[in-house]
Amino acid sequence: MAESKVLQFTLTVRGQGNPDFPDREPKKYKLKLGKSVGVGRAPKCELAVALAGISNRHCELRLVEGEDGPRLVVRDLSSNGTGFSLPGAPLALLDKSTDTPVVDGSTIVLPMKVKSKGDQSQVRIVVGMGDKPTTTEPAREKGSKGAEAEDSEKEEEEEKKE
């Protein structure tokens, strides 16, 4: 009998200090080859995140066959973008509908586009491979700015013009 390919991983959701969305306990998932874990606002998603700006099915994590065996990938399905960073790397916008490999300690940010400078409607999802959660945060390059800082600067420039 052929061995079924299954990957176990943990997702830890952080509300970024948003009082309407507190941090959650890590949740374990087991994923079979070709299956996915949906992340989004819809209650039918395996990981439901009910915040403004997050699409019904914002992104998905899938187990696909890679060159060296099964690998976990994330795919952006949203209209407001999905951020992603590998451990120690700066946050970047995922290419829409493209599989991006996920490793232990990767961070997913939903949504990347926020409406106003005071909007705290972003969550970070940290991926832990195996059965233990990971607490890694993405690094920021010296002088780099996150999506929130860039949005804040744009709004300040607009206010000065008025």
Side-chain angles (χ1 to χ4, degrees):
M1 186 162 100
E3 185 179 321
S4 177
K5 295 180 180 179
V6 176
L7 177 72
Q8 184 168 320
F9 60 97
T10 304
L11 299 178
T12 305
V13 180
R14 298 195 176 130
Q16 298 299 98
N18 184 340
D20 297 325
F21 195 87
D23 292 355
R24 294 186 185 171
E25 289 295 315
K27 186 172 178 183
K28 294 179 184 178
Y29 295 88
K30 285 186 179 178
L31 200 53
K32 291 182 180 180
L33 193 61
K35 300 295 181 182
S36 67
V37 169
V39 180
R41 199 174 63 238
K44 66 181 179 181
C45 285
E46 290 80 2
L47 180 57
V49 182
L51 283 177
I54 295 179
S55 301
N56 283 328
R57 190 164 174 96
H58 198 94
C59 66
E60 67 181 9
L61 292 145
R62 294 185 306 123
L63 188 61
V64 299
E65 189 65 56
E67 291 178 12
D68 299 326
R71 68 184 315 167
L72 189 64
V73 297
V74 62
R75 178 180 281 219
D76 177 32
L77 306 171
S78 71
S79 55
N80 284 330
T82 300
F84 180 77
S85 70
L86 293 169
L91 187 64
L93 182 66
L94 283 178
D95 290 332
K96 192 162 177 91
S97 299
T98 300
D99 289 342
T100 302
V102 175
V103 300
D104 187 48
S106 295
T107 300
I108 301 166
V109 177
L110 312 177
M112 275 298 278
K113 296 177 190 171
V114 292
K115 302 295 181 206
S116 66
K117 69 179 176 181
D119 191 351
Q120 295 180 344
S121 297
Q122 279 186 319
V123 295
R124 290 185 184 270
I125 302 169
V126 180
V127 181
M129 302 305 264
D131 60 355
K132 295 181 182 176
T134 302
T135 58
T136 305
E137 285 289 336
R140 294 207 181 209
E141 291 180 345
K142 190 173 184 179
S144 77
K145 301 169 189 161
E148 302 95 8
E150 291 174 355
D151 287 343
S152 177
E153 285 179 1
K154 287 178 187 175
E155 286 186 15
E156 288 174 12
E157 288 176 8
E158 289 173 16
E159 288 174 9
K160 288 178 186 175
K161 290 178 184 177
E162 294 176 359

